[in-house]
Amino acid sequence: MADCFSTQKRREVMSKIGSKDTQIEIKVRLWLYHRGIRYRKNCKTIIGKPDITIKKYKIAIFVHGCFWHGHENCKYYRLPKSNLEYWKEKLEKNIKRDKENIEKLEQMGWNVFVLWECQLKSEFEPTMIELLKKINAIRNSKENQAHLLSK
Ligand SMILES: [Zn+2]
C-alpha cells in the first residue's frame, strides 16, 4: 500500500473506510435485491452485525474487505510499513473477532457466508451465482421442513 498519508491521517481515513458501506457491499446487495432476495443490512441485534442478513432462513453474509479482515495470503492484505505494530495488533484483533462471531452464529444455527473483496473484484458474477445457489438450497430445505411439519 502506498504510504501517501501521515500516520494520523491514515488512521482517520481507515476508520472512515471501516465504518461506511463500501461500494462492493452496495453492489452485492443490489445484485441480490434484483434477484428477489429480501434482506436487512447491518442488523445490530445479530452477533457481528452481518452486512446482510436474511432472518427467515437464518442466513448471514459478511462482505469482508481484505485489508481490514486480514485475508490470508491475499495481495490486498499487506501491513503498512509505518506503525507496523499498531496495525498488526489492530488487524489481528479483527481476525480473532470475526472468527469468534462466525463460530457463535454457526452454533446458533445460522448459515454464515463470507465474501472476500478480492474474490468479488476478480469474479463478481460467478461468486454471486454460487452464493445465490446456496441461498436457494437453504430456502428450499427450510420450506420443505415447514411443509412436512404442517402435514
Ligand atoms: Zn483477499
Side-chain angles (χ1 to χ4, degrees), residues 66 71 74 118:
C66 296
H71 194 195
C74 173
C118 59

Side-chain angles (χ1 to χ4, degrees), residues 137-151:
I138 291 164
R139 181 160 64 183
N140 290 341
S141 81
K142 296 247 178 199
E143 275 165 10
N144 285 341
Q145 272 172 24
H147 183 68
L148 287 173
L149 286 173
S150 69
K151 265 188 184 170

Side-chain angles (χ1 to χ4, degrees), residues 32 57 150:
L32 290 172
Y57 306 123
S150 69

Side-chain angles (χ1 to χ4, degrees), residues 33-88:
Y33 188 84
H34 288 312
R35 279 151 193 85
I37 305 290
R38 295 299 175 259
Y39 52 80
R40 291 188 60 191
K41 58 176 205 166
N42 303 119
C43 193
K44 287 190 187 71
T45 55
I46 296 167
I47 290 168
K49 220 167 66 168
D51 298 302
I52 297 166
T53 45
I54 309 168
K55 229 176 170 176
K56 200 173 166 190
Y57 306 123
K58 282 197 136 182
I59 294 171
I61 302 164
F62 292 94
V63 180
H64 276 176
C66 296
F67 177 74
W68 276 105
H69 297 272
H71 194 195
E72 232 180 306
N73 301 323
C74 173
K75 63 174 177 174
Y76 296 109
Y77 177 46
R78 261 193 233 129
L79 287 166
K81 285 195 181 75
S82 59
N83 271 51
L84 182 66
E85 280 312 306
Y86 168 84
W87 286 108
K88 221 177 140 191

Side-chain angles (χ1 to χ4, degrees), residues 15-30:
S15 69
K16 273 184 196 135
I17 296 169
S19 62
K20 222 177 78 187
D21 287 353
T22 57
Q23 284 302 315
I24 201 85
E25 268 173 59
I26 295 166
K27 202 175 160 191
V28 167
R29 288 198 188 106
L30 278 175

